Amino acid sequence: KLLQPASARPSTAADLDAFSMHRCSALVASAAPAASVPARISAVAVPPALARVQFEVARCGSLLQGAPRSFASAAGGSWRSLTVCGLDGSSGSLEASLRKLREVRPQQVMLETCAQRRQLANRVSSASATTAADAAAAASGAEAPRSPLSHADAIAAVHGGLRPGDVAAVVSAAGDIDAQVYTVDRPYQETQNRVARHLMLRPRELLTFARHSASVLSGGDPQEPLSRGVRELLESERERHMATEVLRRGVQGSDIFVICRAERETALRQLLDGGLSGTSSSSSSSRVGGGGGEAARIWPLLLVLVYVLVPGYGSIFLAWRASRVVASFLPGPRELIFAAPTAPGEEATPAAAAGLPTPAAAAASETG
């Protein structure tokens, strides 16, 4: 109110209430104003100093709504623009996305990652800063040398999502243009839990998933595709979850910039352009049935217990029992009999045959 021109300030308490209700209902709920607003108030342009405050109010309001907004309200003019960019893991695609990000200058940037992976990316970026050789290689257009595989890299390779280096670069670029960054992907621990639950009673799919993960982590091309059920968990469900989060977090009148993997770009764009029918219910059911709570994330531990620990200790126990059985059939220890040497033609005495000292030998030893 103080930053507005004096001629445009609401003169009465009713005008002030109507103006506040108009701004909040339009920005937060994306609905028609619930009260009539005087023409001289509604025609006032919002000062730049208040635009940031109103954007934050709208962002908090959209998060407190609970249920995601329908796509029809967003397509009808709620968002000013929506841009979806996919990264293929190369430095060229990252530079192109960052350049487009600076050109669009959005207010909201949505990333295909979760809060935990973003924290891991921040740790990785702070621990290993870009060296001069990497910067020179990136400037010349060549591929930068590979860094050691981190925990966040392994998660992104196996379960999907942006790499930690890409996340750190996008977050830094978004901070330069004063844009809010959001993580719209499902938590990776929940994805791990759902995949482990699916593979618990499917050893053949588990073997395929293990081979695929080992091939991806080693940097090679997977020779065997994943099963349909695992792809549904790692691709389709995550795409619907991200589209729902984009709709839920998107603020009216803002430019939204979505950055995801190149494999998810086409499907995510189709979901956002096609209406997302049934996405809200499917996302809610996945959260309830998938065991997203901390107490229910026991399936990875059970998977390791059933397929690694129990067979390992069981094989050791069976080997021990087999060795005991085999040992029971072997003859016992034999007594070794040492016979004293005798003269030619002389028969060995029983004492000498038994390895005991003879009387002559005993007398000689006493004399000595």
Side-chain angles (χ1 to χ4, degrees):
K1 176 181 176 182
L2 296 177
L3 293 177
Q4 292 180 355
S7 59
R9 294 177 186 172
S11 56
T12 62
D15 290 343
L16 178 60
D17 294 339
F19 178 76
S20 302
M21 189 176 300
H22 169 72
R23 299 304 300 177
C24 292
S25 61
L27 290 175
V28 177
S30 297
S36 59
V37 183
R40 63 185 184 87
I41 299 298
S42 59
V44 174
V46 180
L50 289 180
R52 183 70 178 180
V53 178
Q54 292 178 351
F55 174 79
E56 293 296 336
V57 171
R59 181 176 68 89
C60 296
S62 63
L63 294 178
L64 292 175
Q65 280 183 326
R69 287 177 287 175
S70 62
F71 185 80
S73 62
S78 177
W79 299 339
R80 185 184 307 171
S81 65
L82 174 64
T83 306
V84 181
C85 288
L87 303 180
D88 58 3
S90 63
S91 59
S93 64
L94 177 60
E95 291 297 331
S97 299
L98 295 180
R99 184 166 53 252
K100 193 171 184 178
L101 177 65
R102 298 185 184 97
E103 294 175 358
V104 176
R105 300 187 66 86
Q107 287 80 31
Q108 293 180 284
V109 179
M110 313 286 187
L111 302 180
E112 185 190 353
T113 188
C114 60
Q116 295 89 341
R117 280 177 283 175
R118 183 178 176 181
Q119 294 178 358
L120 293 176
N122 294 335
R123 296 175 185 174
V124 172
S125 61
S126 60
S128 57
T130 305
T131 59
D134 296 344
S140 61
E143 292 291 338
R146 290 186 176 182
S147 57
L149 190 67
S150 62
H151 183 204
D153 289 322
I155 295 173
V158 175
H159 297 286
L162 298 177
R163 300 186 307 176
D166 299 340
V167 173
V170 173
V171 170
S172 178
D176 296 338
I177 61 176
D178 198 18
Q180 293 290 329
V181 179
Y182 302 86
T183 57
V184 297
D185 196 5
R186 185 171 57 190
Y188 79 92
Q189 293 178 348
E190 183 177 349
T191 302
Q192 289 178 345
N193 188 68
R194 293 179 62 82
V195 171
R197 181 179 180 180
H198 175 80
L199 297 176
M200 177 61 66
L201 300 179
R202 297 175 175 87
R204 183 171 299 180
E205 295 185 15
L206 175 62
L207 183 60
T208 303
F209 179 76
R211 293 175 180 173
H212 184 276
S213 302
S215 178
V216 170
L217 293 177
S218 61
D221 296 330
Q223 302 295 331
E224 191 173 359
L226 295 174
S227 62
R228 183 176 181 180
V230 176
R231 292 185 59 185
E232 175 70 19
L233 295 174
L234 295 180
E235 298 176 4
S236 301
E237 285 191 1
R238 290 181 52 247
E239 291 165 358
R240 292 193 296 268
H241 180 88
M242 288 187 290
T244 304
E245 289 296 312
V246 171
L247 291 178
R248 186 174 71 90
R249 296 172 180 267
V251 178
Q252 177 191 10
S254 63
D255 298 315
I256 298 179
F257 201 92
V258 181
I259 298 181
C260 59
R261 294 285 292 268
E263 296 83 359
R264 310 278 78 79
E265 179 181 2
T266 302
L268 191 57
R269 193 188 301 274
Q270 291 177 355
L271 288 173
L272 293 175
D273 293 341
L276 287 176
S277 58
T279 302
S280 175
S281 59
S282 64
S283 177
S284 301
S285 62
S286 66
R287 292 180 183 179
V288 175
E294 292 292 341
R297 291 174 182 169
I298 61 174
W299 292 103
L301 179 61
L302 291 178
L303 190 69
V304 174
L305 180 65
V306 171
Y307 286 98
V308 178
L309 297 182
V310 171
Y313 282 104
S315 60
I316 295 175
F317 177 77
L318 292 178
W320 174 73
R321 292 297 301 175
S323 64
R324 293 292 303 271
V325 172
V326 172
S328 63
F329 289 99
L330 296 177
R334 299 179 179 178
E335 296 181 357
L336 300 180
I337 300 176
F338 298 93
T342 59
E346 181 181 357
E347 185 178 357
T349 62
L356 300 177
T358 60
S365 61
E366 291 177 359
T367 304

